[in-house]
């Protein structure tokens, strides 16, 4: 049994035998119900350097003593800020005290900060990981890509967290195509309705996915949780 808590935007806290936080964007996120002080995690998985994903990574890693897991460049940046970090790269996997994590590709950017030129923290990534028997795919920010078929074929995905917000990532139509390739048991849409540019109707997405595929969709509001 794992508990999945939606932190808002692309952020999740997953509690089982380990506590895992992904893309903890809380400070400055008006939809978030959690504060960074509330989050303690053994592993902090960060998909890329953009502020709406890197977010409160450093403060959460410092207070909880958890390890940041990401691509090498982002991990080196975190190490330079004094937190524990483990660098990997696309296609590589590693077992962290029983939790197997593999990095997957993502078509996106990874510039950190707000002043041009942005500091580049390597390539963006997604994650396939297994916690307590549940296989979870968090795509990070990405457009649709055909190798999602490979990710779906090589992993029996229980839960897929994929963006539907459009503009910066897949929109709902491409996300439906992603579901057809990934074939997850459950889809949790993310990266929408945090600000006006990425407004979407997740209930229409749910109808379309459940009509065209065997996957179910769980629409989660920030702060809500589910157990599987
Ligand atoms: Ni991004
Ligand atoms: Mn983003």
């Amino acid at each position: 049994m794992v508990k999945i808590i939606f932190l808002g935007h692309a952020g999740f806290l997953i509690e089982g035998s380990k506590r895992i936080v992904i893309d903890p964007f809380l400070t400055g996120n008006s939809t978030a119900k959690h504060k960074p002080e509330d989050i303690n995690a053994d592993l902090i998985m960060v998909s890329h350097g953009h502020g709406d994903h890197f977010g409160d990574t450093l403060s959460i890693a410092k207070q909880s003593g958890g390890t940041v897991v990401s691509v090498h460049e982002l991990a080196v940046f975190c190490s330079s800020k004094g937190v524990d970090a483990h660098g990997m790269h696309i296609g590589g996997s590693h077992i962290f005290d029983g939790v197997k994590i593999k990095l997957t590709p993502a078509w996106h950017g990874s510039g950190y900060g707000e002043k041009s030129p942005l500091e580049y923290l390597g390539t963006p990534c997604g994650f396939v990981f297994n916690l307590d028997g549940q296989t979870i795919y968090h795509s990070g920010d990405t457009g649709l890509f055909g190798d999602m078929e490979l990710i779906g074929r090589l992993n029996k995905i229980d839960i897929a967290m994929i963006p539907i917000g459009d503009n910066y990532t897949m929109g709902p139509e491409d996300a439906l195509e992603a579901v057809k390739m990934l074939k997850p048991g459950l889809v949790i849409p993310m990266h929408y309705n945090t600000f006006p540019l990425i407004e979407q109707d997740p209930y229409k997405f749910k109808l379309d996915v459940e009509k065209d595929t065997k996957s179910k969709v769980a629409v989660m509001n920030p702060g809500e949780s589910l157990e599987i």
Side-chain angles (χ1 to χ4, degrees), residues 48 50 52-53 108-109 141 168-169 191:
H48 62 292
H50 292 164
D52 59 322
H53 298 259
H108 197 64
D141 277 2
Y168 298 108
T169 66
H191 212 275

Side-chain angles (χ1 to χ4, degrees), residues 4-226:
I4 295 177
I5 301 146
F6 183 44
L7 300 176
H9 201 53
F12 293 88
L13 178 62
I14 300 160
E15 295 180 337
S17 57
K18 291 276 175 293
R19 294 161 306 173
I20 298 172
V21 70
I22 310 172
D23 286 359
F25 168 47
L26 301 169
T27 302
N29 177 356
S30 62
T31 71
K33 302 285 184 265
H34 289 74
K35 299 208 172 340
E37 311 85 270
D38 304 334
I39 308 287
N40 279 295
D42 304 296
L43 297 170
I44 300 125
M45 291 165 31
V46 185
S47 67
H48 62 292
H50 292 164
D52 59 322
H53 298 259
F54 192 92
D56 298 290
T57 291
L58 295 175
S59 63
I60 290 171
K62 270 180 195 151
Q63 77 199 10
S64 53
T67 302
V68 175
V69 178
S70 189
V71 295
H72 170 73
E73 292 82 359
L74 195 150
V76 168
F77 176 78
C78 289
S79 296
S80 77
K81 303 292 181 191
V83 308
D84 190 42
H86 181 108
M88 304 175 62
H89 242 298
I90 310 294
S93 63
H94 183 77
I95 300 173
F96 296 82
D97 199 12
V99 182
K100 185 179 183 190
I101 302 177
K102 187 172 189 177
L103 299 201
T104 57
W107 284 105
H108 197 64
S110 191
Y112 176 84
E114 276 155 24
K115 289 210 182 77
S116 181
L118 303 181
E119 185 166 359
Y120 231 71
L121 301 186
T123 56
C125 70
F127 302 93
V128 174
F129 59 102
N130 190 286
L131 179 66
D132 301 341
Q134 298 292 331
T135 300
I136 300 174
Y137 172 54
H138 185 293
S139 70
D141 277 2
T142 187
L144 181 65
F145 57 90
D147 282 349
M148 286 182 179
E149 191 275 332
L150 187 59
I151 296 170
R153 185 149 55 81
L154 298 181
N155 301 279
K156 193 191 154 298
I157 300 171
D158 295 297
I159 301 177
M161 297 139 172
I162 57 172
I164 65 163
D166 216 344
N167 193 78
Y168 298 108
T169 66
M170 295 188 281
E173 289 170 11
D174 283 357
L176 171 60
E177 294 305 311
V179 174
K180 289 177 186 171
M181 291 189 274
L182 295 166
K183 299 180 169 61
L186 187 71
V187 180
I188 304 175
M190 63 178 186
H191 212 275
Y192 65 94
N193 292 359
T194 318
F195 39 84
L197 191 55
I198 56 172
E199 268 175 19
Q200 297 293 341
D201 179 357
Y203 295 99
K204 179 175 186 310
F205 174 70
K206 177 180 167 72
L207 279 178
D208 291 344
V209 169
E210 294 184 352
K211 180 161 66 75
D212 278 13
T213 75
K214 293 195 176 79
S215 302
K216 298 285 174 219
V217 175
V219 174
M220 298 183 77
N221 293 310
E224 285 184 352
S225 63
L226 61 82

